[in-house]
Short mmCIF file of all heavy atoms in Angstrom, two decimals:
data_model
loop_
_atom_site.label_atom_id
_atom_site.label_comp_id
_atom_site.label_asym_id
_atom_site.label_seq_id
_atom_site.Cartn_x
_atom_site.Cartn_y
_atom_site.Cartn_z
N MET X 1 -4.54 -18.63 -6.56
CA MET X 1 -3.59 -17.51 -6.54
C MET X 1 -4.28 -16.34 -7.08
O MET X 1 -5.06 -16.41 -8.21
CB MET X 1 -2.29 -17.81 -7.36
CG MET X 1 -1.42 -16.68 -7.41
SD MET X 1 0.28 -17.02 -8.22
CE MET X 1 0.98 -17.86 -6.93
N MET X 2 -4.12 -15.00 -6.63
CA MET X 2 -4.68 -13.97 -7.13
C MET X 2 -4.09 -13.50 -8.53
O MET X 2 -2.88 -13.65 -8.69
CB MET X 2 -4.60 -12.80 -6.19
CG MET X 2 -5.43 -11.58 -6.54
SD MET X 2 -5.52 -10.42 -5.19
CE MET X 2 -6.77 -11.18 -4.07
N SER X 3 -4.99 -13.06 -9.42
CA SER X 3 -4.47 -12.51 -10.64
C SER X 3 -3.64 -11.18 -10.39
O SER X 3 -3.82 -10.54 -9.48
CB SER X 3 -5.65 -12.30 -11.71
OG SER X 3 -6.47 -11.20 -11.20
N LYS X 4 -2.87 -10.85 -11.52
CA LYS X 4 -2.16 -9.64 -11.44
C LYS X 4 -2.99 -8.45 -11.30
O LYS X 4 -2.61 -7.43 -10.67
CB LYS X 4 -1.22 -9.56 -12.65
CG LYS X 4 -0.29 -8.33 -12.59
CD LYS X 4 0.65 -8.34 -13.73
CE LYS X 4 1.60 -7.26 -13.64
NZ LYS X 4 2.51 -7.12 -14.75
N SER X 5 -4.14 -8.48 -11.78
CA SER X 5 -5.10 -7.38 -11.71
C SER X 5 -5.56 -7.01 -10.31
O SER X 5 -6.03 -5.95 -10.07
CB SER X 5 -6.23 -7.47 -12.60
OG SER X 5 -7.14 -8.64 -12.18
N GLY X 6 -5.42 -8.02 -9.41
CA GLY X 6 -5.81 -7.87 -8.09
C GLY X 6 -4.58 -7.63 -7.13
O GLY X 6 -4.62 -7.94 -5.99
N SER X 7 -3.51 -7.18 -7.69
CA SER X 7 -2.28 -6.95 -6.88
C SER X 7 -2.10 -5.51 -6.44
O SER X 7 -2.89 -4.56 -6.83
CB SER X 7 -1.02 -7.40 -7.71
OG SER X 7 -0.91 -6.61 -8.87
N CYS X 8 -1.11 -5.31 -5.62
CA CYS X 8 -0.92 -3.98 -4.97
C CYS X 8 -0.82 -2.86 -6.10
O CYS X 8 -1.29 -1.81 -5.94
CB CYS X 8 0.31 -4.00 -4.14
SG CYS X 8 0.26 -5.03 -2.74
N GLY X 9 -0.17 -3.18 -7.23
CA GLY X 9 0.10 -2.15 -8.25
C GLY X 9 -1.16 -1.53 -8.71
O GLY X 9 -1.35 -0.46 -9.24
N SER X 10 -2.32 -2.26 -8.59
CA SER X 10 -3.66 -1.83 -9.06
C SER X 10 -4.67 -1.52 -7.92
O SER X 10 -5.91 -1.42 -8.11
CB SER X 10 -4.26 -2.62 -10.21
OG SER X 10 -4.48 -4.04 -9.64
N CYS X 11 -4.04 -1.48 -6.71
CA CYS X 11 -4.94 -1.33 -5.56
C CYS X 11 -5.03 0.14 -5.11
O CYS X 11 -4.02 0.95 -5.20
CB CYS X 11 -4.36 -2.15 -4.34
SG CYS X 11 -5.22 -1.98 -2.83
N ALA X 12 -6.15 0.53 -4.78
CA ALA X 12 -6.38 2.03 -4.18
C ALA X 12 -5.59 2.34 -3.11
O ALA X 12 -5.21 3.53 -2.90
CB ALA X 12 -7.76 2.21 -3.81
N PHE X 13 -5.03 1.43 -2.29
CA PHE X 13 -4.27 1.75 -1.09
C PHE X 13 -2.70 1.72 -1.40
O PHE X 13 -1.92 1.90 -0.50
CB PHE X 13 -4.60 0.79 -0.01
CG PHE X 13 -5.96 0.86 0.45
CD1 PHE X 13 -6.93 -0.20 0.10
CD2 PHE X 13 -6.51 2.05 1.07
CE1 PHE X 13 -8.27 -0.14 0.36
CE2 PHE X 13 -7.86 2.01 1.41
CZ PHE X 13 -8.75 0.99 1.03
N PHE X 14 -2.36 1.41 -2.67
CA PHE X 14 -0.83 1.48 -2.95
C PHE X 14 -0.46 2.80 -3.33
O PHE X 14 -1.07 3.54 -4.01
CB PHE X 14 -0.70 0.49 -4.28
CG PHE X 14 0.63 0.41 -4.72
CD1 PHE X 14 1.54 -0.44 -4.09
CD2 PHE X 14 1.10 1.07 -5.84
CE1 PHE X 14 2.90 -0.50 -4.40
CE2 PHE X 14 2.38 0.85 -6.28
CZ PHE X 14 3.31 0.04 -5.63
N ASP X 15 0.69 3.21 -2.65
CA ASP X 15 1.20 4.61 -2.74
C ASP X 15 2.61 4.46 -3.36
O ASP X 15 3.45 3.93 -2.67
CB ASP X 15 1.13 5.25 -1.36
CG ASP X 15 1.88 6.68 -1.44
OD1 ASP X 15 1.98 7.16 -2.60
OD2 ASP X 15 1.90 7.30 -0.33
N GLU X 16 2.76 5.02 -4.54
CA GLU X 16 4.10 4.85 -5.16
C GLU X 16 4.92 5.98 -4.53
O GLU X 16 5.34 7.00 -5.09
CB GLU X 16 4.02 5.18 -6.65
CG GLU X 16 3.28 4.15 -7.43
CD GLU X 16 3.23 4.29 -8.90
OE1 GLU X 16 4.02 4.99 -9.34
OE2 GLU X 16 2.31 3.72 -9.54
N HIS X 17 5.43 5.61 -3.33
CA HIS X 17 6.23 6.62 -2.58
C HIS X 17 7.69 6.66 -3.12
O HIS X 17 8.19 5.59 -3.56
CB HIS X 17 6.35 6.06 -1.18
CG HIS X 17 7.08 6.98 -0.10
ND1 HIS X 17 8.43 6.88 0.15
CD2 HIS X 17 6.45 8.05 0.60
CE1 HIS X 17 8.70 7.87 1.01
NE2 HIS X 17 7.53 8.51 1.24
N SER X 18 8.14 7.79 -3.30
CA SER X 18 9.35 8.07 -4.04
C SER X 18 10.55 7.26 -3.54
O SER X 18 11.33 6.75 -4.23
CB SER X 18 9.77 9.61 -4.21
OG SER X 18 9.80 10.10 -2.88
N ALA X 19 10.70 7.29 -2.13
CA ALA X 19 11.79 6.59 -1.51
C ALA X 19 11.71 5.16 -1.66
O ALA X 19 12.65 4.51 -1.99
CB ALA X 19 11.94 6.93 0.00
N ALA X 20 10.66 4.66 -1.57
CA ALA X 20 10.33 3.13 -1.80
C ALA X 20 10.50 2.83 -3.33
O ALA X 20 11.09 1.82 -3.55
CB ALA X 20 8.97 2.75 -1.31
N ALA X 21 10.03 3.67 -4.06
CA ALA X 21 10.10 3.42 -5.66
C ALA X 21 11.55 3.48 -6.11
O ALA X 21 11.93 2.69 -7.04
CB ALA X 21 9.22 4.44 -6.41
N ALA X 22 12.39 4.26 -5.42
CA ALA X 22 13.76 4.33 -5.79
C ALA X 22 14.53 2.99 -5.53
O ALA X 22 15.47 2.69 -6.26
CB ALA X 22 14.48 5.34 -4.90
N ALA X 23 14.03 2.13 -4.74
CA ALA X 23 14.66 0.96 -4.54
C ALA X 23 14.00 -0.17 -5.40
O ALA X 23 14.31 -1.36 -5.26
CB ALA X 23 14.31 0.52 -2.99
N GLY X 24 13.24 0.20 -6.41
CA GLY X 24 12.69 -0.81 -7.20
C GLY X 24 11.24 -0.45 -7.50
O GLY X 24 10.86 0.64 -7.20
N HIS X 25 10.42 -1.38 -7.87
CA HIS X 25 9.00 -1.21 -8.16
C HIS X 25 8.27 -1.41 -6.84
O HIS X 25 7.57 -2.23 -6.79
CB HIS X 25 8.53 -2.06 -9.26
CG HIS X 25 9.20 -1.78 -10.60
ND1 HIS X 25 8.88 -0.62 -11.28
CD2 HIS X 25 10.06 -2.52 -11.34
CE1 HIS X 25 9.59 -0.59 -12.48
NE2 HIS X 25 10.24 -1.69 -12.45
N GLU X 26 8.57 -0.67 -5.96
CA GLU X 26 7.94 -0.85 -4.67
C GLU X 26 7.19 0.45 -4.19
O GLU X 26 7.44 1.49 -4.70
CB GLU X 26 9.07 -1.06 -3.55
CG GLU X 26 9.79 -2.34 -3.89
CD GLU X 26 10.88 -2.77 -2.79
OE1 GLU X 26 11.34 -1.69 -2.18
OE2 GLU X 26 11.11 -3.81 -2.64
N GLY X 27 6.29 0.31 -3.31
CA GLY X 27 5.46 1.34 -2.87
C GLY X 27 5.03 1.18 -1.30
O GLY X 27 5.64 0.13 -0.74
N LEU X 28 4.25 1.86 -0.90
CA LEU X 28 3.70 1.74 0.50
C LEU X 28 2.25 1.35 0.45
O LEU X 28 1.44 1.85 -0.29
CB LEU X 28 3.88 3.11 1.23
CG LEU X 28 5.21 3.68 1.22
CD1 LEU X 28 5.23 4.95 1.95
CD2 LEU X 28 6.31 2.64 1.92
N CYS X 29 1.84 0.48 1.35
CA CYS X 29 0.50 0.07 1.60
C CYS X 29 -0.16 1.15 2.62
O CYS X 29 0.27 1.14 3.72
CB CYS X 29 0.27 -1.34 2.08
SG CYS X 29 -1.38 -1.71 2.51
N ARG X 30 -1.19 1.81 2.20
CA ARG X 30 -1.82 2.78 3.08
C ARG X 30 -3.11 2.33 3.68
O ARG X 30 -3.96 3.07 4.12
CB ARG X 30 -2.14 4.04 2.35
CG ARG X 30 -0.88 4.70 1.70
CD ARG X 30 -0.09 5.40 2.67
NE ARG X 30 0.98 6.28 2.16
CZ ARG X 30 1.75 7.05 2.81
NH1 ARG X 30 1.65 7.10 4.16
NH2 ARG X 30 2.65 7.86 2.17
N PHE X 31 -3.35 0.95 3.66
CA PHE X 31 -4.72 0.42 4.14
C PHE X 31 -4.79 0.80 5.64
O PHE X 31 -5.90 1.17 6.15
CB PHE X 31 -4.81 -1.03 3.83
CG PHE X 31 -6.14 -1.65 4.30
CD1 PHE X 31 -7.26 -1.46 3.49
CD2 PHE X 31 -6.24 -2.21 5.63
CE1 PHE X 31 -8.47 -2.00 3.93
CE2 PHE X 31 -7.48 -2.75 5.98
CZ PHE X 31 -8.54 -2.63 5.14
N ASN X 32 -3.72 0.49 6.43
CA ASN X 32 -3.76 0.73 7.78
C ASN X 32 -2.89 1.87 8.23
O ASN X 32 -2.08 2.37 7.45
CB ASN X 32 -3.37 -0.54 8.52
CG ASN X 32 -4.26 -1.58 8.48
OD1 ASN X 32 -5.40 -1.49 8.82
ND2 ASN X 32 -3.79 -2.83 8.09
N PRO X 33 -3.09 2.46 9.40
CA PRO X 33 -2.13 3.46 9.92
C PRO X 33 -0.74 2.95 10.08
O PRO X 33 -0.53 1.60 10.07
CB PRO X 33 -2.76 3.85 11.27
CG PRO X 33 -4.04 3.27 11.37
CD PRO X 33 -4.13 2.00 10.38
N PRO X 34 0.23 3.84 10.22
CA PRO X 34 1.53 3.37 10.36
C PRO X 34 1.71 2.34 11.62
O PRO X 34 0.92 2.52 12.55
CB PRO X 34 2.36 4.65 10.59
CG PRO X 34 1.58 5.61 9.99
CD PRO X 34 0.20 5.16 10.30
N VAL X 35 2.60 1.44 11.47
CA VAL X 35 2.77 0.47 12.56
C VAL X 35 4.25 0.39 13.09
O VAL X 35 5.08 1.02 12.44
CB VAL X 35 2.41 -0.95 11.98
CG1 VAL X 35 0.91 -0.95 11.65
CG2 VAL X 35 3.27 -1.29 10.92
N SER X 36 4.45 -0.34 14.11
CA SER X 36 5.84 -0.62 14.63
C SER X 36 6.62 0.60 14.89
O SER X 36 7.83 0.75 14.50
CB SER X 36 6.50 -1.48 13.70
OG SER X 36 5.80 -2.62 13.40
N GLN X 37 6.06 1.62 15.59
CA GLN X 37 6.82 2.77 15.96
C GLN X 37 7.87 2.38 16.93
O GLN X 37 7.46 2.01 18.04
CB GLN X 37 5.84 3.87 16.52
CG GLN X 37 6.67 5.19 16.63
CD GLN X 37 5.58 6.34 16.97
OE1 GLN X 37 4.46 6.06 17.05
NE2 GLN X 37 6.08 7.48 17.11
N PRO X 38 9.12 2.38 16.61
CA PRO X 38 10.13 1.89 17.48
C PRO X 38 10.40 2.69 18.76
O PRO X 38 10.45 2.01 19.88
CB PRO X 38 11.40 1.88 16.68
CG PRO X 38 11.00 2.17 15.24
CD PRO X 38 9.75 2.84 15.34
N THR X 39 10.34 3.97 18.71
CA THR X 39 10.44 4.84 19.89
C THR X 39 9.51 5.88 19.73
O THR X 39 8.96 6.22 18.74
CB THR X 39 11.89 5.33 20.07
OG1 THR X 39 12.07 6.26 18.93
CG2 THR X 39 12.92 4.28 20.03
N ALA X 40 9.29 6.68 20.87
CA ALA X 40 8.43 7.90 20.80
C ALA X 40 8.87 8.91 19.86
O ALA X 40 8.00 9.72 19.35
CB ALA X 40 8.28 8.43 22.26
N GLU X 41 10.20 8.96 19.54
CA GLU X 41 10.72 9.99 18.62
C GLU X 41 10.66 9.58 17.21
O GLU X 41 10.74 10.35 16.33
CB GLU X 41 12.06 10.40 19.00
CG GLU X 41 12.21 11.04 20.43
CD GLU X 41 12.22 10.04 21.55
OE1 GLU X 41 12.56 8.78 21.28
OE2 GLU X 41 11.71 10.34 22.66
N ALA X 42 10.54 8.34 17.02
CA ALA X 42 10.78 7.78 15.65
C ALA X 42 9.36 7.79 14.86
O ALA X 42 8.26 7.89 15.55
CB ALA X 42 11.22 6.34 15.67
N HIS X 43 9.47 7.91 13.55
CA HIS X 43 8.28 7.83 12.71
C HIS X 43 7.63 6.37 12.73
O HIS X 43 8.37 5.47 12.78
CB HIS X 43 8.57 8.29 11.29
CG HIS X 43 8.86 9.80 11.26
ND1 HIS X 43 8.00 10.74 11.43
CD2 HIS X 43 10.06 10.29 10.99
CE1 HIS X 43 8.62 11.87 11.20
NE2 HIS X 43 9.92 11.69 11.02
N GLY X 44 6.28 6.26 12.61
CA GLY X 44 5.70 5.03 12.37
C GLY X 44 6.09 4.60 10.99
O GLY X 44 6.50 5.42 10.14
N LEU X 45 5.96 3.34 10.79
CA LEU X 45 6.33 2.71 9.40
C LEU X 45 5.25 2.21 8.63
O LEU X 45 4.29 1.61 9.14
CB LEU X 45 7.34 1.49 9.74
CG LEU X 45 8.56 1.83 10.49
CD1 LEU X 45 9.36 0.63 10.82
CD2 LEU X 45 9.49 2.87 9.85
N TRP X 46 5.17 2.59 7.41
CA TRP X 46 4.16 2.06 6.38
C TRP X 46 4.71 0.75 5.89
O TRP X 46 5.89 0.73 5.38
CB TRP X 46 3.91 3.03 5.33
CG TRP X 46 3.33 4.36 5.89
CD1 TRP X 46 3.92 5.44 6.20
CD2 TRP X 46 1.90 4.58 6.13
NE1 TRP X 46 3.18 6.44 6.57
CE2 TRP X 46 1.74 5.98 6.53
CE3 TRP X 46 0.69 3.94 6.07
CZ2 TRP X 46 0.73 6.64 6.80
CZ3 TRP X 46 -0.52 4.59 6.25
CH2 TRP X 46 -0.48 5.83 6.73
N PRO X 47 3.94 -0.28 5.66
CA PRO X 47 4.36 -1.49 5.07
C PRO X 47 4.84 -1.21 3.67
O PRO X 47 4.09 -0.55 2.86
CB PRO X 47 3.19 -2.34 5.17
CG PRO X 47 2.32 -1.88 6.19
CD PRO X 47 2.67 -0.38 6.14
N VAL X 48 5.95 -1.73 3.33
CA VAL X 48 6.53 -1.60 1.99
C VAL X 48 6.22 -2.84 1.21
O VAL X 48 6.22 -3.86 1.63
CB VAL X 48 8.04 -1.51 1.96
CG1 VAL X 48 8.58 -1.51 0.49
CG2 VAL X 48 8.52 -0.25 2.68
N VAL X 49 5.48 -2.57 0.08
CA VAL X 49 5.03 -3.68 -0.79
C VAL X 49 5.58 -3.48 -2.27
O VAL X 49 5.79 -2.35 -2.59
CB VAL X 49 3.45 -3.79 -0.69
CG1 VAL X 49 2.99 -4.17 0.78
CG2 VAL X 49 2.84 -2.52 -1.21
N THR X 50 5.44 -4.58 -3.03
CA THR X 50 5.86 -4.40 -4.43
C THR X 50 4.49 -4.34 -5.20
O THR X 50 3.42 -4.71 -4.73
CB THR X 50 6.63 -5.56 -4.91
OG1 THR X 50 5.83 -6.80 -4.92
CG2 THR X 50 7.95 -5.76 -4.00
N GLU X 51 4.52 -4.11 -6.45
CA GLU X 51 3.29 -4.04 -7.26
C GLU X 51 2.74 -5.41 -7.48
O GLU X 51 1.65 -5.45 -7.70
CB GLU X 51 3.68 -3.34 -8.64
CG GLU X 51 4.11 -1.95 -8.65
CD GLU X 51 4.51 -1.44 -9.94
OE1 GLU X 51 4.71 -2.25 -10.95
OE2 GLU X 51 4.55 -0.15 -10.21
N LYS X 52 3.57 -6.39 -7.27
CA LYS X 52 3.05 -7.71 -7.50
C LYS X 52 2.58 -8.48 -6.21
O LYS X 52 2.00 -9.48 -6.20
CB LYS X 52 4.12 -8.63 -8.11
CG LYS X 52 4.32 -8.18 -9.60
CD LYS X 52 5.50 -8.96 -10.22
CE LYS X 52 5.65 -8.61 -11.70
NZ LYS X 52 6.67 -9.44 -12.29
N ASP X 53 2.70 -7.74 -5.03
CA ASP X 53 2.16 -8.34 -3.79
C ASP X 53 0.68 -8.18 -3.84
O ASP X 53 0.06 -7.42 -4.68
CB ASP X 53 2.76 -7.45 -2.57
CG ASP X 53 4.09 -7.93 -2.23
OD1 ASP X 53 4.50 -8.96 -2.54
OD2 ASP X 53 4.86 -7.01 -1.78
N TRP X 54 0.08 -8.80 -2.89
CA TRP X 54 -1.45 -8.75 -2.83
C TRP X 54 -1.82 -9.11 -1.32
O TRP X 54 -1.04 -9.69 -0.64
CB TRP X 54 -2.11 -9.59 -3.72
CG TRP X 54 -1.77 -11.05 -3.62
CD1 TRP X 54 -0.69 -11.64 -4.29
CD2 TRP X 54 -2.47 -12.00 -2.99
NE1 TRP X 54 -0.75 -12.97 -3.94
CE2 TRP X 54 -1.82 -13.22 -3.05
CE3 TRP X 54 -3.60 -12.00 -2.23
CZ2 TRP X 54 -2.29 -14.42 -2.65
CZ3 TRP X 54 -4.16 -13.16 -1.59
CH2 TRP X 54 -3.51 -14.38 -1.78
N CYS X 55 -2.99 -8.72 -0.90
CA CYS X 55 -3.59 -9.15 0.32
C CYS X 55 -5.09 -9.24 0.27
O CYS X 55 -5.58 -8.71 -0.75
CB CYS X 55 -3.08 -8.36 1.44
SG CYS X 55 -4.09 -6.85 1.80
N GLY X 56 -5.75 -9.55 1.31
CA GLY X 56 -7.21 -9.76 1.33
C GLY X 56 -7.89 -8.39 1.38
O GLY X 56 -9.12 -8.38 1.24
N HIS X 57 -7.19 -7.32 1.55
CA HIS X 57 -7.85 -6.05 1.67
C HIS X 57 -7.80 -5.21 0.23
O HIS X 57 -8.18 -4.13 0.22
CB HIS X 57 -7.05 -5.21 2.72
CG HIS X 57 -7.36 -5.63 4.08
ND1 HIS X 57 -8.53 -5.91 4.64
CD2 HIS X 57 -6.37 -6.01 5.01
CE1 HIS X 57 -8.36 -6.34 5.85
NE2 HIS X 57 -7.05 -6.45 6.18
N PHE X 58 -7.36 -6.02 -0.80
CA PHE X 58 -7.25 -5.32 -2.07
C PHE X 58 -8.63 -4.61 -2.36
O PHE X 58 -9.64 -5.11 -2.30
CB PHE X 58 -6.99 -6.35 -3.19
CG PHE X 58 -7.16 -5.82 -4.53
CD1 PHE X 58 -6.05 -5.09 -5.08
CD2 PHE X 58 -8.23 -5.94 -5.27
CE1 PHE X 58 -6.19 -4.37 -6.33
CE2 PHE X 58 -8.35 -5.43 -6.54
CZ PHE X 58 -7.40 -4.77 -7.06
N ALA X 59 -8.48 -3.40 -2.98
CA ALA X 59 -9.63 -2.71 -3.42
C ALA X 59 -9.32 -2.03 -4.76
O ALA X 59 -8.24 -1.30 -4.86
CB ALA X 59 -10.03 -1.50 -2.34
N PRO X 60 -10.10 -2.23 -5.78
CA PRO X 60 -9.82 -1.56 -7.06
C PRO X 60 -9.67 -0.01 -6.99
O PRO X 60 -10.45 0.53 -6.11
CB PRO X 60 -10.98 -2.00 -7.87
CG PRO X 60 -11.64 -3.13 -7.25
CD PRO X 60 -11.34 -2.99 -5.83
N GLU X 61 -8.77 0.65 -7.60
CA GLU X 61 -8.74 2.15 -7.50
C GLU X 61 -10.04 2.83 -7.80
O GLU X 61 -10.36 3.88 -7.13
CB GLU X 61 -7.65 2.61 -8.45
CG GLU X 61 -6.23 2.10 -8.07
CD GLU X 61 -5.10 2.61 -8.89
OE1 GLU X 61 -4.99 1.88 -10.06
OE2 GLU X 61 -4.56 3.53 -8.59
N THR X 62 -10.81 2.34 -8.63
CA THR X 62 -12.04 2.97 -9.03
C THR X 62 -13.14 2.87 -7.81
O THR X 62 -13.82 3.80 -7.65
CB THR X 62 -12.76 2.25 -10.24
OG1 THR X 62 -12.79 0.95 -9.99
CG2 THR X 62 -11.99 2.65 -11.50
N THR X 63 -13.06 1.83 -7.13
CA THR X 63 -13.98 1.74 -6.03
C THR X 63 -13.58 2.73 -4.83
O THR X 63 -14.53 3.39 -4.27
CB THR X 63 -13.92 0.28 -5.38
OG1 THR X 63 -14.29 -0.59 -6.36
CG2 THR X 63 -14.91 0.14 -4.25
N ALA X 64 -12.30 2.82 -4.53
CA ALA X 64 -11.99 3.63 -3.44
C ALA X 64 -12.15 5.03 -3.82
O ALA X 64 -12.52 5.99 -3.04
CB ALA X 64 -10.45 3.40 -2.94
N GLY X 65 -12.09 5.35 -5.13
CA GLY X 65 -12.21 6.75 -5.62
C GLY X 65 -13.56 7.17 -5.28
O GLY X 65 -13.95 8.36 -5.00
N ALA X 66 -14.50 6.28 -5.55
CA ALA X 66 -15.86 6.61 -5.34
C ALA X 66 -16.21 6.83 -3.94
O ALA X 66 -16.89 7.76 -3.65
CB ALA X 66 -16.80 5.47 -5.94
N VAL X 67 -15.60 6.06 -3.17
CA VAL X 67 -15.74 6.25 -1.65
C VAL X 67 -15.22 7.61 -1.17
O VAL X 67 -15.79 8.32 -0.51
CB VAL X 67 -15.12 5.09 -0.83
CG1 VAL X 67 -15.16 5.34 0.75
CG2 VAL X 67 -15.88 3.77 -1.15
N ALA X 68 -13.99 7.91 -1.73
CA ALA X 68 -13.32 9.05 -1.32
C ALA X 68 -14.14 10.49 -1.75
O ALA X 68 -13.89 11.37 -1.10
CB ALA X 68 -11.89 9.16 -1.90
N ALA X 69 -14.81 10.31 -2.67
CA ALA X 69 -15.55 11.41 -3.20
C ALA X 69 -16.85 11.76 -2.38
O ALA X 69 -17.41 12.78 -2.57
CB ALA X 69 -16.01 11.18 -4.74
N GLU X 70 -17.28 10.83 -1.60
CA GLU X 70 -18.39 11.13 -0.73
C GLU X 70 -18.21 12.13 0.37
O GLU X 70 -17.07 12.38 0.82
CB GLU X 70 -18.85 9.78 -0.06
CG GLU X 70 -19.39 8.77 -1.03
CD GLU X 70 -19.83 7.45 -0.26
OE1 GLU X 70 -19.57 7.36 0.99
OE2 GLU X 70 -20.28 6.57 -0.95
S1 SF4 U 101 -1.26 -4.91 0.71
FE1 SF4 U 101 -3.29 -5.11 0.23
S2 SF4 U 101 -4.33 -3.24 0.84
FE2 SF4 U 101 -2.10 -2.86 0.64
S3 SF4 U 101 -1.75 -2.10 -1.45
FE3 SF4 U 101 -1.51 -4.40 -1.45
S4 SF4 U 101 -3.45 -5.37 -2.01
FE4 SF4 U 101 -3.83 -3.09 -1.40
#
């Protein structure tokens, strides 16, 4: 099992989106583009995750910050 330090809450791709956060300690995962666009007029959806979720794409915030600065 992954440690808490490797969870979404400390991942570079975790976005504390206000609407999602209003529903609890949740945010959006920005690793991939939006998915599952239901219709042509609808917005794509970002996966909603909690701070304690995790996945194999976890990246420490410091690592991604260094990449973004290039
Ligand atoms: S789902 Fe994976 S990539 Fe997305 S915020 Fe969580 S650990 Fe990071």
Side-chain angles (χ1 to χ4, degrees):
M1 178 173 284
M2 186 168 287
S3 69
K4 187 175 180 183
S5 62
S7 60
C8 296
S10 57
C11 178
F13 300 106
F14 182 73
D15 181 5
E16 293 183 22
H17 190 265
S18 58
H25 296 290
E26 296 179 332
L28 306 177
C29 174
R30 300 286 192 177
F31 183 83
N32 287 307
V35 296
S36 302
Q37 187 171 3
T39 67
E41 297 78 27
H43 292 288
L45 303 174
W46 297 92
V48 175
V49 295
T50 71
E51 293 180 345
K52 294 181 179 178
D53 281 331
W54 61 274
C55 85
H57 294 303
F58 171 80
E61 292 179 278
T62 51
T63 300
V67 172
E70 289 180 357

